[in-house]
Amino acid sequence: MTSLLDILKEADLRVGFTEKFKTVAVREALGRDTLQKRLILSLYGLGTNTGLNRVSAGEHGESYKDLLYVRRKFIHKDNLRNAVSEVVNAIFRVTLTGW
């Protein structure tokens, strides 16, 4: 069975919606691969109402403080809107080709 976390990761690999998350800080010091992993884990924890603390208890090597930092600096209303519109547009491009 495919988990929701796998679906998020696959959607990001195909669409690249994590590119829409820009920092509110002055500079960005995280590598893109690290940021992508932390963003997906944070979005999973927030979207499923599991919480960042429980997600950080998994076997992926990311701590609660790391996920909390990403949530505070990257996950905001405008960034979420841009990411959702990117995924929705990709779905429409695939489904509307038959019309």
Side-chain angles (χ1 to χ4, degrees):
M1 178 173 219
T2 306
S3 72
L4 183 59
L5 199 54
D6 291 333
I7 293 171
L8 268 175
K9 183 178 175 184
E10 186 67 28
D12 187 44
L13 290 174
R14 292 177 187 236
V15 178
F17 68 88
T18 55
E19 296 292 326
K20 299 296 180 182
F21 290 93
K22 305 296 180 197
T23 184
V24 295
V26 177
R27 63 184 181 91
E28 184 177 327
L30 290 173
R32 199 65 206 171
D33 292 337
T34 304
L35 179 61
Q36 178 186 24
K37 181 179 178 183
R38 291 178 184 174
L39 273 170
I40 289 174
L41 288 170
S42 297
L43 290 172
Y44 174 76
L46 295 171
T48 59
N49 206 20
T50 303
L52 299 179
N53 200 10
R54 288 193 179 168
V55 170
S56 67
E59 299 177 2
H60 44 71
E62 300 297 335
S63 69
Y64 173 72
K65 288 183 180 180
D66 294 337
L67 298 180
L68 190 62
Y69 174 82
V70 167
R71 184 181 64 88
R72 287 181 179 159
K73 298 294 183 186
F74 291 91
I75 300 177
H76 295 284
K77 184 170 50 173
D78 293 333
N79 292 344
L80 283 170
R81 282 184 183 158
N82 292 335
V84 167
S85 67
E86 186 75 21
V87 172
V88 169
N89 287 337
I91 291 170
F92 285 156
R93 279 192 299 271
V94 171
T95 58
L96 294 180
T97 57
W99 287 3

